[in-house]
Amino acid sequence: MTRSEEIFQKAVKLIPGGVNSPVRAFGSIGGTPRFIERADGAWMYDVDGNRYLDFVNSWGPMILGHNHPAIRESVVKACKKGLSYGAATEKEVEMAELITGIVPSVEMVRMVNSGTEAVMSAVRAARGYTRRDKIVKFTGCYHGHSDALLVQAGSGVMTAGIPDSAGVPRKCTEDTLSAVYNDLGSVKSLFSSFPEEIAAVIVEPVAANMGVVLPTPGFLEGLRDLCDQYGAVLIFDEVITGFRLGIDGAQGFYGVQADLTTFGKIIGAGMPVGAYGGRKEIMEMVSPSGPVYQAGTLSGNPVAMAAGITQLTILKEHPEIYRKLNEKGDWFFEEMKSILKECQKPYQINHVGSLGCIFFTDQPVENYGDAKTSDTAAFAKYFNYMLGKGYYFAPSQFEAIFLSDVQEKEELEKVLEDFRSYMKEQ
Ligand code: HOZ
């Protein structure tokens, strides 16, 4: 028995499913989750001494690789001054200045502790600002696990095949309307039915929790226009795309501005952090300046701020990182596509910049319905083969591949070789 197996046997008796977040239980791909001992640069090491080239990168934030020396040093320095005060610090102001200076649509920002919290709070701010209740989300998009957003969500619920979570009262979701990703008609029809009731449209500008699904040309622009026409708030959930597609996220990449934006773990360089921000007049609705209540002892935690400020400053001062990362992504995912063609496999590779995924289906994937046509058993077999070769991909068909700045071309070439061998054998 491996050490990971031993730990997992104990874990399932103590923690629901043996894990603290469902996808990492490896439930949909079979086998035992690898218990990680440490990570450095492009690599993760498990408790059995196996080394993996990491394509999860803590679900995005390790854009500069694990255990980055400057980030680590800033954390150690901050720790020496105490771990949490529950009181205001100058570092929070520095962070706010950094974010508002980088993302043009964000005039004011509030730090929180996770993407879930950021989205929950942004929706509340939008509702408070518009004095309306309904929100529109897209089937297959995932915006964390707050009650109102757990409707036909992606990520773990999609992986587990759960349409809606138990424990969410019907009343909490009756103002949540679902539209189809990349289908403006479905959004228009909701606005026609509820022209003065929709507070906000929330969208992942690149959907990355039903696998990776790119916005088709005009989709994000169309959402912007519809929100302007009907006086609704456009919320971009950039928990995954923020500071990843480019320094100014999907908004900069696609040239469409949101009214409110939510950010997640990348802001804390992997520490438990989130943030929401946007137009001043909306953000001024938030307590204590306005009547929309939201609070948190750990919000703006000094250690997390130190880590995040260091990472964001490096990213801001080195724009070449994004150029290289996006070129690497284009090369890597296009190579995967060529290999599939060479091996006469009809599967799909969706990608943008350093984000991508493979779908085991012969039809283009532009929405949740398309994503669901993927053969998850074929994904599981492929996942386990690649894991055996030492590549740690997300253990679910419906998550993304995240590249980092520190994965070397030679390492990725080896991955592509193994990918070719696998596809040839099938
Ligand atoms: N559902 C998360 C990614 N979209 C996974 C979180 C985790 O297991 O760490």
Side-chain angles (χ1 to χ4, degrees):
M1 191 185 284
T2 66
R3 185 88 184 97
S4 275
E5 284 165 345
E6 257 175 52
I7 300 174
F8 191 53
Q9 274 193 359
K10 187 171 175 188
V12 289
K13 295 184 193 134
L14 301 166
I15 307 172
V19 291
N20 284 311
S21 189
V23 173
R24 64 177 84 153
F26 279 35
S28 68
I29 46 86
T32 305
R34 300 303 187 261
F35 283 75
I36 302 303
E37 170 118 312
R38 68 187 179 90
D40 198 59
W43 304 92
M44 286 210 300
Y45 301 80
D46 72 13
V47 289
D48 290 291
N50 299 308
R51 184 176 90 141
Y52 304 95
L53 189 61
D54 185 16
F55 290 90
V56 174
N57 282 300
S58 193
W59 307 93
M62 300 309 169
I63 192 163
L64 298 175
H66 292 280
N67 203 12
H68 187 281
I71 298 171
R72 185 182 60 239
E73 272 158 37
S74 65
V75 167
V76 171
K77 204 167 148 200
C79 284
K80 288 184 179 159
K81 296 183 180 178
L83 299 184
S84 172
Y85 319 124
T89 66
E90 193 172 359
K91 285 280 176 211
E92 296 164 75
V93 185
E94 199 183 319
M95 176 63 107
E97 202 170 24
L98 197 50
I99 296 171
T100 55
I102 291 173
V103 188
S105 69
V106 176
E107 294 172 338
M108 292 185 103
V109 63
R110 169 61 65 84
M111 301 307 299
V112 290
N113 301 293
S114 69
T116 292
E117 211 186 312
V119 169
M120 184 181 78
S121 311
V123 166
R124 186 176 302 152
R127 283 173 161 162
Y129 172 73
T130 55
R131 295 169 193 268
R132 299 174 179 181
D133 289 341
K134 295 199 186 300
I135 52 169
V136 175
K137 80 172 283 289
F138 294 88
T139 309
C141 282
Y142 179 71
H143 304 289
H145 60 273
S146 68
D147 284 351
L149 277 309
L150 268 187
V151 178
Q152 296 183 301
S155 191
V157 273
M158 189 171 177
T159 302
I162 305 166
D164 300 302
S165 170
V168 176
R170 196 171 33 80
K171 283 198 166 67
C172 289
T173 56
E174 64 193 15
D175 283 319
T176 307
L177 310 169
S178 294
V180 177
Y181 199 79
N182 280 326
D183 179 356
L184 279 178
S186 68
V187 187
K188 276 183 198 152
S189 107
L190 291 172
F191 271 116
S192 310
S193 306
F194 306 103
E196 289 179 5
E197 289 172 72
I198 296 175
V201 174
I202 182 162
V203 66
E204 290 183 82
V206 173
N209 285 288
M210 49 173 147
V212 172
V213 179
L214 273 51
T216 49
F219 176 59
L220 298 176
E221 291 83 347
L223 295 182
R224 178 67 277 170
D225 291 345
L226 283 169
C227 285
D228 289 343
Q229 187 184 340
Y230 288 94
V233 173
L234 179 60
I235 307 175
F236 273 8
D237 181 339
E238 295 227 42
V239 167
I240 287 183
T241 51
F243 306 100
R244 171 154 286 274
L245 290 193
I247 190 72
D248 45 2
Q251 301 183 41
F253 196 90
Y254 290 106
V256 179
Q257 305 282 295
D259 298 307
L260 288 180
T261 304
T262 60
F263 299 105
K265 40 221 161 206
I266 200 162
I267 284 209
M271 299 287 288
V273 178
Y276 65 106
R279 277 169 42 206
K280 196 166 184 236
E281 58 182 325
I282 308 177
M283 290 305 291
E284 278 184 333
M285 295 298 291
V286 177
S287 181
S289 14
V292 173
Y293 195 71
Q294 182 267 308
T297 297
L298 296 174
S299 300
N301 173 272
V303 183
M305 292 302 96
I309 289 169
T310 307
Q311 172 151 285
L312 291 186
T313 304
I314 294 172
L315 292 172
K316 185 180 163 197
E317 287 175 357
H318 296 278
E320 73 278 8
I321 291 176
Y322 288 107
R323 189 185 40 76
K324 275 173 29 206
L325 197 55
N326 290 347
E327 278 171 15
K328 195 188 320 189
D330 284 343
W331 165 77
F332 181 72
F333 292 115
E334 285 301 315
E335 283 294 308
M336 285 178 88
K337 255 190 205 173
S338 314
I339 291 169
L340 289 177
K341 202 165 164 203
E342 175 192 320
C343 301
Q344 297 177 320
K345 298 290 176 233
Y347 310 139
Q348 312 296 313
I349 302 287
N350 280 7
H351 73 96
V352 57
S354 55
L355 270 181
C357 84
I358 177 169
F359 286 106
F360 288 81
T361 176
D362 59 6
Q363 70 179 73
V365 178
E366 294 190 349
N367 58 40
Y368 176 82
D370 300 334
K372 291 283 277 183
T373 65
S374 188
D375 178 348
T376 50
F379 175 85
K381 190 172 168 207
Y382 156 78
F383 170 89
N384 283 304
Y385 175 88
M386 295 304 261
L387 187 70
K389 292 283 174 190
Y391 311 127
Y392 193 94
F393 287 101
S396 161
Q397 167 66 86
F398 303 116
E399 302 283 354
I401 294 171
F402 296 90
L403 299 181
S404 81
D405 184 45
V406 292
Q407 284 155 330
E408 301 293 341
K409 195 158 183 207
E410 303 75 67
E411 291 154 2
L412 295 176
E413 272 166 354
K414 173 92 180 48
V415 179
L416 292 168
E417 260 327 296
D418 286 321
F419 181 70
R420 176 180 279 108
S421 308
Y422 179 78
M423 286 301 162
K424 268 193 182 148
E425 277 167 24
Q426 299 312 299

